[in-house]
Amino acid sequence: MKNLGKLFLGLCIFASSVGFSQTDSKDENRISLTAWVPAGIENMPVKARKNLENKLTQVVTKNGLGGSPFNTRFIISANVSLASKDILPGPPPMHAYNMDVTLYIGDGFEGTVFSSTTISVKGVGTNETKAFMAGLKQIKPGNPEIQAFVKTGKEKIIQYYKDNCDMIIKTAQSKADQNEYDEAIFMLTAIPTACEECYSKAMAAIQPIFKAKIDNDCKVKLQEATGIWNAAQDMAAAEKAGAILASINPDASCASQARTLSNKIAAKVKQIDDREWKYIVKDQQQESERIQAIRDIGVAYGKGPKANVTYKSLW
């Protein structure tokens, strides 16, 4: 528990050192939005849809928020309506589109809009795709109207965490009770430092969940390594078992047992091949390593298939 107390303190110091400003350069300290453009926008070519998604990411990052590499609850999305569509005489004939592009920030899980704004643009090109892309190019992330739109969305997201913090933490704890530790940690590490009070509560809640995870992992790995070594006490078994034991978190409850087995294997390796043992079960983990381990769990889960979600449209 002493190490866990240090872990919580370390996480809190880390949070305060980076500050709660959304202008921080590190994405993990920002409110993150996933840029999402649904496939069903009428008459919009696939290439133009991808271009719009990239534009939304620019809007997010240029206005001090974090663009997420994986699916988050909160999204920035857009719908495009054609106000007019003309063919201008050539050569070559040109496609001229007047478009209303409505931007949205909201809860993609619930389909709730937090902020929206409409930008009218005109695009001209030799084909439909180029006309769309020419129009989308006119959307400027630094536009005051867009900046106000992002600011409102950010404020609503912070308010969401204030209103739902206890529920998020209880849900994460429930996941942990079902041995879904990675998802629980993902949920809690997704809370941005901008939501100061909720972030602090989440960091405190992570302590026992992380401890339960590494204890569970230790038991599984120790059992696996023991089975491999007992089945064939040769160099191949030593290599396999040693690699497993070395991956055990030194703060886990059964780390001392893992260390004992590792030393036993090392002695046998010395006897068999007069070789030094390269797999070491660490005695302790540095504070920075613990913090990074927690973040890595959340990021890995977010990028994995289990975190895939289906968003609801915001219009």
Side-chain angles (χ1 to χ4, degrees):
M1 291 304 293
K2 184 177 180 182
N3 282 337
L4 286 176
K6 288 181 179 178
L7 172 60
F8 174 55
L9 179 60
L11 286 166
C12 289
I13 291 173
F14 179 82
S16 61
S17 69
V18 298
F20 296 98
S21 168
Q22 292 309 297
T23 59
D24 194 286
S25 61
K26 295 182 179 180
D27 273 356
E28 67 265 28
N29 304 320
R30 304 176 180 181
I31 290 174
S32 293
L33 297 176
T34 297
W36 178 69
V37 179
I41 296 180
E42 190 175 358
N43 299 319
M44 192 172 200
V46 173
K47 189 174 181 179
R49 186 163 63 86
K50 184 62 179 176
N51 184 268
L52 176 56
E53 197 169 276
N54 291 337
K55 178 64 71 172
L56 293 177
T57 299
Q58 290 177 23
V59 168
V60 168
T61 56
K62 294 291 185 181
N63 283 280
L65 277 72
S68 177
F70 46 82
N71 294 329
T72 61
R73 182 178 197 99
F74 303 108
I75 62 175
I76 180 168
S77 190
N79 189 24
V80 179
S81 299
L82 288 178
S84 67
K85 181 177 179 180
D86 301 305
I87 301 295
L88 305 179
M94 304 291 282
H95 295 255
Y97 294 168
N98 286 302
M99 298 177 282
D100 291 328
V101 183
T102 304
L103 308 180
Y104 301 89
I105 290 174
D107 184 336
F109 290 0
E110 299 295 333
T112 303
V113 176
F114 290 164
S115 178
S116 67
T117 190
T118 299
I119 308 294
S120 296
V121 297
K122 182 175 182 177
V124 179
T126 54
N127 57 44
E128 289 187 345
T129 299
K130 290 182 178 180
F132 264 104
M133 293 176 69
L136 297 176
K137 193 174 182 179
Q138 296 178 37
I139 299 174
K140 306 297 182 183
N143 180 325
E145 192 174 344
I146 291 179
Q147 290 178 329
F149 151 76
V150 173
K151 182 175 182 291
T152 299
K154 181 174 68 176
E155 290 169 350
K156 292 287 183 67
I157 291 171
I158 291 174
Q159 189 60 48
Y160 170 88
Y161 281 113
K162 288 181 179 179
D163 294 342
N164 296 280
C165 187
D166 291 343
M167 181 189 69
I168 294 169
I169 292 172
K170 285 181 181 178
T171 301
Q173 290 169 334
S174 177
K175 292 288 184 183
D177 290 341
Q178 300 169 50
N179 295 336
E180 296 176 12
Y181 304 113
D182 290 5
E183 184 175 0
I185 290 172
F186 169 70
M187 291 176 65
L188 296 175
T189 54
I191 297 172
T193 56
C195 310
E196 182 173 354
E197 184 178 351
C198 187
Y199 179 85
S200 295
K201 288 181 179 180
M203 293 306 99
I206 280 178
Q207 296 179 66
I209 294 173
F210 179 65
K211 184 64 166 65
K213 173 183 168 56
I214 63 176
D215 285 350
N216 184 70
D217 285 352
C218 185
K219 289 178 183 177
V220 171
K221 290 177 178 178
L222 180 59
Q223 184 176 12
E224 183 182 3
T226 301
I228 290 171
W229 179 243
N230 288 342
Q233 296 185 14
D234 54 19
M235 287 305 302
E239 290 284 336
K240 289 180 182 178
I244 293 169
L245 293 171
S247 70
I248 289 175
N249 191 299
D251 292 334
S253 297
C254 71
S256 60
Q257 295 170 261
R259 210 169 287 114
T260 298
L261 177 58
S262 181
N263 292 338
K264 180 180 177 181
I265 296 173
K268 186 68 173 179
V269 167
K270 185 75 171 176
Q271 179 184 340
I272 296 173
D273 202 28
D274 195 26
R275 186 187 304 181
E276 291 300 322
W277 186 234
K278 64 179 180 180
Y279 297 106
I280 305 297
V281 180
K282 295 173 66 175
D283 289 326
Q284 62 180 358
Q285 194 172 45
Q286 296 297 318
E287 214 59 52
S288 59
E289 292 176 315
R290 293 189 187 98
I291 294 170
Q292 190 58 50
I294 289 173
R295 291 199 176 280
D296 288 346
I297 291 167
V299 170
Y301 183 88
K303 291 181 177 179
K306 288 185 178 180
N308 288 340
V309 299
T310 300
Y311 287 129
K312 294 181 180 179
S313 175
L314 298 182
W315 61 87

